[in-house]
Amino acid sequence: MALSDVDVQKQIKHMMAFIEQEATEKAEEVDAKAEEEFNVEKGRLVQSQRVKIMEYFDRKEKQVEMQKKIQASNMLNQARLKVLKEQEEKLDKLIDETRRRLTTVTKSADKYAKLLQLLIAQGVFQLLEPHLVVRCRKEDLHLVRDAVKGALEHYTNITDRRCEIKIDEENFLSPQVAGGVEMLIPNSKIKIVNTLESRLAMITSQLLPEIRVRLFGRNPGRKFLD
Amino acid sequence: MASQTQGIQQLLAAEKKAAERVAEARKRKAKRLKQAKEEAQTEMERYRVEREKQFKQYEAMVRKISLPLLELHMGTRTDIAAKIDGETKSKISGMAKSFQNNQEEVIQFLLTLAFDIKPELHTNAKLQAKLGEPAA
């Protein structure tokens, strides 16, 4: 016999309760899962974003520091160059002044005559030629004629050689030149410039390191000296 | 069998309700996940603002931006620049003094050398002469 109506109703009520129960459980599961996934997802996003932001600003801070270092280095460089430039300017002025003072010797005919003789002799010794031409300033012609004689005597005494010197009376050194001579081998391109200016130029260029030390003292920052 | 149909309908209704409840739970879940993203963003924005503030402070400290009043007096010079300027000035003045003290001596030194002429014969030519070879 089939169940009574009351029993059926009871069954149905049971089943309804069961369905409800299952739904409740399922919903709770879903909620729990939701919370868990919420935390995981939020944590993940926060972490990855935080790392990105940190790295970004760390890098920017490094850039700022780098810039500052570069700026400081540049400023230091500029400062050093400034000091060196001042040094060079003073040095150039000193050499100019020295050049101007070369004329002091030409004022004394005695001293200048001796000088000319030595300059010419030096040229003869250097060239070791039988024929030479001497060129000088127009105003020195007289002194040079005598000087040539003395120089040749000196030359022959030391070397036993002879030399014939012709003085160039057509081309002269500019009167701007402080003093001295040029000596040439005739029909040749060989020339010795033995003027006071050329001597001074050679001296200053060879002695620049020593001149700098005498003027400015030793450079404490310098590491290599040869 | 009206009771049968009624029972079945009750059951169907219960099922429907159950399904709705589960669906609602799922909707809540989706909403919660979206919240995760939103909350993460908000927090990270806050962090970013904070970190940026730190950065700006660091930047200002490194650059030593002078106050507007000082700007008028020193120009926008940082402390390093001022230090370098000071050292450079003192180096230049020291160098100028040394130059002043020594320049006359150096000029005389150079002039003496310029006027000190020593005509010399090349060593090979000297040997030639010694060995008695005929003069050129």
Side-chain angles (χ1 to χ4, degrees), chain A residues 12 24 26 31 34-35 38 42 49 54 57-58 61 67-68 79 101 161 199 207 214-215, chain B residues 7 21 26 28-29 32 39 43-44 47 51 55 62-63 88 98 102 104 113-114 116 128:
Chain A
I12 292 190
T24 307
K26 189 73 198 257
D31 280 338
E35 207 55 28
F38 166 84
K42 182 171 169 191
Q49 271 299 81
M54 264 204 315
F57 281 108
D58 280 350
E61 280 178 7
Q67 243 197 354
K68 186 185 192 195
R101 293 205 202 174
R161 295 176 194 230
R199 278 185 65 86
L207 289 179
R214 285 188 184 220
L215 282 175
Chain B
R21 283 182 60 194
R26 294 222 169 96
R28 280 199 300 273
K29 178 174 169 192
R32 199 76 176 114
E39 277 184 30
E43 270 185 36
M44 282 302 90
Y47 176 67
R51 186 70 181 84
F55 169 69
V62 162
R63 291 215 172 122
T88 310
S98 173
N102 295 315
E104 193 52 42
L113 282 177
D116 176 20
Q128 245 184 7

Side-chain angles (χ1 to χ4, degrees), chain B residues 32-49:
Chain B
R32 199 76 176 114
L33 286 179
K34 211 162 82 149
Q35 267 184 334
K37 222 203 279 181
E38 286 165 3
E39 277 184 30
Q41 257 182 322
T42 322
E43 270 185 36
M44 282 302 90
E45 184 57 26
R46 196 163 40 86
Y47 176 67
R48 195 188 68 78
V49 163

Side-chain angles (χ1 to χ4, degrees), chain A residues 88-125:
Chain A
E88 281 308 294
E89 280 177 12
K90 291 203 145 64
L91 189 62
D92 284 340
K93 277 207 276 197
L94 182 135
I95 294 179
D96 280 343
E97 173 62 23
T98 313
R99 196 178 305 124
R100 253 174 268 138
R101 293 205 202 174
L102 286 173
T103 54
T104 56
V105 80
T106 57
K107 296 209 170 82
S108 148
D110 221 17
K111 288 206 181 113
Y112 187 39
K114 283 210 186 87
L115 218 66
L116 280 172
Q117 182 170 313
L118 286 170
L119 288 173
I120 296 171
Q122 194 176 45
V124 182
F125 274 105

Side-chain angles (χ1 to χ4, degrees), chain B residues 30-134:
Chain B
K31 188 159 161 227
R32 199 76 176 114
L33 286 179
K34 211 162 82 149
Q35 267 184 334
K37 222 203 279 181
E38 286 165 3
E39 277 184 30
Q41 257 182 322
T42 322
E43 270 185 36
M44 282 302 90
E45 184 57 26
R46 196 163 40 86
Y47 176 67
R48 195 188 68 78
V49 163
E50 188 60 38
R51 186 70 181 84
E52 183 155 24
K53 195 161 77 158
Q54 279 183 5
F55 169 69
K56 285 260 159 25
Q57 284 176 345
Y58 176 74
E59 202 180 16
M61 178 193 72
V62 162
R63 291 215 172 122
K64 271 283 178 71
I65 297 167
S66 9
L67 301 165
L69 283 170
L70 286 176
E71 268 181 330
L72 292 172
H73 175 60
M74 292 195 307
T76 40
R77 301 298 265 163
T78 63
D79 52 347
I80 287 190
K83 177 160 154 265
I84 292 181
D85 275 351
E87 281 181 5
T88 310
K89 277 205 174 74
S90 88
K91 271 199 198 131
I92 289 187
S93 79
M95 179 267 288
K97 202 156 77 132
S98 173
F99 178 81
Q100 196 74 346
N101 290 343
N102 295 315
Q103 64 172 341
E104 193 52 42
E105 184 212 322
V106 172
I107 293 182
Q108 291 306 326
F109 168 63
L110 290 174
L111 287 172
T112 313
L113 282 177
F115 299 142
D116 176 20
I117 302 152
K118 298 193 176 79
E120 256 181 38
L121 188 58
H122 196 283
T123 37
N124 292 356
K126 277 196 209 137
L127 286 173
Q128 245 184 7
K130 259 207 200 146
L131 295 175
E133 273 174 33

